[in-house]
Amino acid sequence: MSPRVAVIGAGLGGLTAAAALYARGLDATVYERGDALREQGVGMHLGPNGTRLLERLGLGTQLAERAVRPEALEVRAFHDGALVAEQEMGEAWERRFRAPYLTVHRGDLHRMLAALVPAERVRTGKELVRYEERPDGVRLEFADGTTDRADVLVGADGVHSAVRRALAGDEAPVYSGNSALRGLVAAADVPALDPARMYMFAGPDARVLCYPVSGGREFTYVVVVPAPEGDAESWTSAGERADLDSALAGWAPQVRELVGAAGEVRRWALYDRAPLERWSTARTTLLGDAAHPMLPHHGQGANQAVEDAVALAVCLAEAAPGAAGTTAALARYEALRRPHTTRVQLGSREGAKPGGRPGGGPGGPGGDVKGAAADVSRILDHDVEAALRTPVTSTAA
């Protein structure tokens, strides 16, 4: 009998884990603290390292319909919008990395993943407050007074993970010194921007990245600005249109057009955590932001969660029967993933420094865009399923 897996959190990582487990014939139940499935946010990047795994889960057609494969990233001068550098993407990157680089609305991807998991296996209104590992499994206690049992517990419950807190104790978040102002605009309202391309403007005190989502009907914008610590550690806090206007006063006409079209603005205070030295116990492990919350400067947060989810599903599917097999599977998963995600996590911090990569994109400012793209090619090349077929010592990088 395959182990029963309890996944805490129905975000992108948790739903991918459940979908990957079901695809391999394992039993999984997702417990979501919210009263319904919903995914807040705007756009996101899916690197080839993520899209190849999602395509293997059967989402290729839907991604082709709802996501965008940008033809190029244009780096433009912040003051007049003149072209500074251009990185070809599109078909060239798909050939190079054997899968497409896509931009997609988070809500679209969330709905795709939710459809891969039987509705009766997703339980909402279930906030985990305590768990206890026992010789015969894990006992789960929820805020509504109910309990449940599983053979394996997976904490996919985000940056404020209750499972991580139980494993690692209370930790101080690490502030980057920056916040990101984010939102969506209709592509029709920004005719200066081609909905088949990504754009980046790097100024002395702010950086702007905008890219198409929703099949090219909308643009997501991300404006990274210095900010004193004090904002809530949330990526969906309310922002102010006035902050956006002030940060980008006097910028290029394309940027001012974007500001003029902006509606609701969200502020994301950019925090992460120090990498953990341990993710797993005999029956419990972490994935995604619960394991390795990272800054957005490589555009890899969701991609690394997808990689985690698939790797964990493979390890559990290939585990020997019984408790010892489960423990060995979790150890194998952590040994593969933790060194890799630590490097991605720490590399994302480098993008927060002057001259580093902008929030959520594959390139760097100015004429260094090609060099910056080469710098992340190792991440985009990674195939976590292939890595599982070779010794950890030669692939965990």
Side-chain angles (χ1 to χ4, degrees):
M1 180 181 296
S2 65
R4 180 183 174 191
V5 184
V7 180
I8 307 300
L12 298 179
L15 289 177
T16 305
L21 288 163
Y22 271 105
R24 290 161 177 81
L26 276 70
D27 179 18
T29 300
V30 181
Y31 300 87
E32 165 58 36
R33 65 181 297 177
D35 58 4
L37 288 187
R38 60 176 63 90
E39 178 63 33
Q40 294 181 307
V42 287
M44 54 172 284
H45 297 256
L46 284 175
N49 55 311
T51 57
R52 65 171 54 94
L53 302 177
L54 294 171
E55 287 176 347
R56 290 169 191 168
L57 285 173
L59 295 182
T61 299
Q62 294 179 66
L63 286 170
E65 294 172 350
R66 299 295 300 170
V68 177
R69 187 184 70 171
E71 294 174 357
L73 167 66
E74 294 186 7
V75 180
R76 291 184 170 269
F78 82 96
H79 59 289
D80 63 3
L83 184 66
V84 174
E86 182 174 348
Q87 171 63 59
E88 183 182 12
M89 298 172 70
E91 183 179 351
W93 272 31
E94 187 163 354
R95 288 195 306 268
R96 164 66 180 83
F97 296 110
R98 309 171 310 286
Y101 193 110
L102 303 176
T103 52
V104 63
H105 194 292
R106 293 185 71 93
D108 287 341
L109 180 57
H110 192 261
R111 285 186 288 273
M112 294 178 206
L113 290 166
L116 296 179
V117 183
E120 66 273 14
R121 307 305 289 175
V122 179
R123 302 179 183 176
T124 57
K126 294 293 181 182
E127 179 183 358
L128 184 73
V129 294
R130 185 174 180 274
Y131 70 88
E132 180 185 359
E133 286 194 24
R134 298 175 173 179
D136 63 343
V138 185
R139 184 177 186 271
L140 312 175
E141 298 180 10
F142 299 98
D144 62 2
T146 61
T147 63
D148 212 335
R149 180 201 167 278
D151 299 301
V152 180
L153 174 63
V154 180
D157 45 344
V159 67
H160 299 294
S161 169
V163 182
R164 178 183 175 117
R165 190 163 54 250
L167 280 173
D170 291 328
E171 304 168 278
V174 180
Y175 186 52
S176 69
N178 295 320
S179 284
L181 300 169
R182 308 192 303 174
L184 291 165
V185 299
D189 292 338
V190 284
L193 302 180
D194 182 346
R197 289 177 167 250
M198 296 170 55
Y199 296 87
M200 195 267 285
F201 301 79
D205 298 313
R207 296 175 289 185
V208 178
L209 184 74
C210 52
Y211 53 90
V213 296
S214 305
R217 293 182 295 279
E218 295 180 298
F219 274 96
T220 281
Y221 64 84
V222 182
V223 182
V224 178
V225 294
E229 188 170 4
D231 287 337
E233 188 187 5
S234 168
W235 54 278
T236 56
S237 295
E240 296 292 338
R241 169 72 178 275
D243 293 339
L244 189 68
D245 194 44
S246 175
L248 302 176
W251 280 51
Q254 301 97 317
V255 176
R256 295 307 305 170
E257 185 176 83
L258 187 75
V259 172
E264 182 182 58
V265 178
R266 292 287 178 178
R267 180 180 288 274
W268 179 15
L270 301 182
Y271 288 87
D272 68 359
R273 298 286 196 283
L276 289 176
E277 296 183 358
R278 184 187 68 154
W279 287 3
S280 308
T281 60
R283 292 184 178 271
T284 302
T285 196
L286 303 171
L287 67 77
D289 283 348
H292 43 71
M294 60 185 66
L295 299 177
H297 306 301
H298 276 331
Q300 277 292 311
N303 293 278
Q304 293 304 307
V306 169
E307 287 189 4
D308 289 347
V310 171
L312 178 61
V314 172
C315 289
L316 289 172
E318 295 179 355
T326 295
T327 300
L330 298 185
R332 179 190 179 198
Y333 159 70
E334 180 178 331
L336 177 81
R337 293 300 298 156
R338 190 164 56 82
H340 182 84
T341 59
T342 294
R343 288 189 60 175
V344 177
Q345 187 179 13
L346 295 178
S348 295
R349 286 182 173 181
E350 292 299 311
K353 299 177 181 179
R357 283 164 289 281
D368 190 40
V369 61
K370 294 184 184 295
D375 188 44
V376 299
S377 63
R378 174 189 56 82
I379 300 171
L380 305 183
D381 252 333
H382 192 64
D383 184 333
V384 74
E385 290 184 295
L388 282 162
R389 296 192 290 270
T390 58
V392 167
T393 54
S394 65
T395 62

